[in-house]
Amino acid sequence: MPHRVWGPSVYKVQIAAVVPKPGAPIEIREDYPVKQPDELLPGECLIKMHCSGVCHTDLHVKKDDWPISGVTPLIGGHEGIGDRVGVKWLAYSCLQCEFCRKGLEQDCVKAKNSGFSVDGTFSEYVVSWVNHVTPIPEGFPSADAASILCAGVTVYRAIKHSQTEQGDWIVLPGAGGGLGHLAVQYAVARGLRVIAVDKKNLVFSLGAEAWIDFKETQDLVADIKRITGGLGAHSAVVTTAAPSGYAQAIDYLRPGGTLMAVGLPGAAKLEGSIFFTVLKSISIIGSYVG
């Protein structure tokens, strides 16, 4: 443990996991400065961290394999719990611009993102904004709450906007992954009939009605149509970062179906038949965190 220099009940320096520059290995620094309480700007808060989840997005930021790059050097992480509030990917939005007023705070023109454009949660202290930290209810363990702040709220929003009703079929490619296994649980809670696409059957214990092993199936589209009585699914929420998860969605969705694009492969293109997208009145909606 490094030597600590105390301020008014707050360390002057801290241990933090830092991305020094795009694509570089993460560095564990023991002398990263801590912003002191008397240095906070209006609206900022200083949080003593308890724990943090790790998201696949953190790996994308570290590897710098997205079309946009984060600020460096910077502390990574955006699923943090401290002082019983949660720190999310969206650290700040102005709440005044057109996008904020329309409920798209994540697309705010002044948005700040934890572990991407401002320091994140892989540290002992975090500076965030009071309008965006989330109180964690009593009795909800911090380690359980951490992933809800990103993976959970991301798939919750996607399912909410998937244009589905109770009893509809929803396909979840990547259902056994970090976002996917939470999507199964939210979809079941909303009364949807889940077709889980993954390489393992954890999903049955979470309430999925049907499961397709993407490594074993000979025809994914035919399997989904068979399960849904020949018409196809009402919606698909693609949480996998692999482009293959998107490629067949137009084919297995029924007329009027909705493709929710959630997973973020860095360089892949969204491909599908324009003819059948039009003919089947398919909606394609991008859904970015929440």
Side-chain angles (χ1 to χ4, degrees):
M1 180 66 67
H3 174 68
R4 300 301 198 187
V5 181
W6 288 86
S9 74
V10 175
Y11 291 133
K12 295 286 189 180
V13 295
Q14 61 181 324
I15 301 172
V18 178
V19 179
K21 60 182 180 180
I26 291 175
E27 297 178 354
I28 304 300
R29 298 185 181 176
E30 298 183 346
D31 58 352
Y32 203 87
V34 178
K35 194 170 188 177
Q36 298 299 292
D38 60 0
E39 299 172 334
L40 295 174
L41 300 175
E44 291 182 342
C45 57
L46 180 65
I47 303 166
K48 179 70 172 71
M49 297 305 298
H50 175 244
C51 67
S52 177
V54 180
C55 177
H56 196 86
T57 292
D58 300 314
L59 181 61
H60 284 300
V61 173
K62 179 263 177 193
K63 293 172 65 176
D64 193 35
D65 62 1
W66 277 352
I68 54 175
S69 297
V71 175
T72 54
L74 203 71
I75 300 171
H78 57 272
E79 296 181 356
I81 307 288
D83 295 338
R84 293 304 291 175
V85 294
V87 178
K88 305 180 293 297
W89 173 251
L90 183 62
Y92 172 84
S93 68
C94 73
L95 303 179
Q96 300 297 323
C97 69
E98 173 190 340
F99 305 109
C100 285
R101 294 197 306 271
K102 289 183 175 180
L104 288 170
E105 293 96 334
Q106 63 269 41
D107 293 306
C108 173
V109 295
K110 297 181 180 179
K112 301 179 189 295
N113 301 115
S114 303
F116 187 76
S117 56
V118 295
D119 280 336
T121 59
F122 297 160
S123 55
E124 295 179 273
Y125 292 92
V126 173
V127 174
S128 195
W129 283 263
V130 295
N131 283 336
H132 283 284
V133 295
T134 302
I136 306 300
E138 291 296 326
F140 192 0
S142 295
D144 293 342
S147 62
I148 303 300
L149 296 167
C150 181
V153 75
T154 295
V155 293
Y156 171 80
R157 184 188 188 280
I159 293 170
K160 179 180 178 181
H161 291 272
S162 65
Q163 304 187 107
T164 51
E165 300 177 356
Q166 188 172 17
D168 284 353
W169 287 102
I170 189 166
V171 179
L172 301 177
L179 277 75
H181 84 288
L182 291 169
V184 173
Q185 296 172 73
Y186 285 126
V188 170
R190 289 176 66 88
L192 300 175
R193 303 176 73 180
V194 173
I195 302 173
V197 181
D198 208 315
K199 62 182 182 295
K200 48 191 173 184
N201 58 7
L202 155 75
V203 293
F204 281 129
S205 67
L206 302 178
E209 187 167 336
W211 166 56
I212 299 173
D213 187 324
F214 71 85
K215 288 190 173 183
E216 298 294 333
T217 179
Q218 300 299 309
D219 190 333
L220 180 68
V221 173
D223 286 344
I224 291 174
K225 287 189 173 181
R226 173 181 51 78
I227 293 168
T228 58
L231 294 175
H234 297 84
S235 184
V237 175
V238 183
T239 61
T240 176
S244 59
Y246 293 92
Q248 295 171 301
I250 302 302
D251 296 328
Y252 66 63
L253 289 172
R254 68 177 60 198
T258 303
L259 169 59
M260 300 300 297
V262 179
L264 288 174
K269 304 297 183 182
L270 181 60
E271 296 184 356
S273 168
I274 296 174
F275 181 88
F276 285 108
T277 299
V278 174
L279 192 68
K280 294 169 65 177
S281 302
I282 298 296
S283 298
I284 301 175
I285 302 175
S287 186
Y288 171 52
V289 293

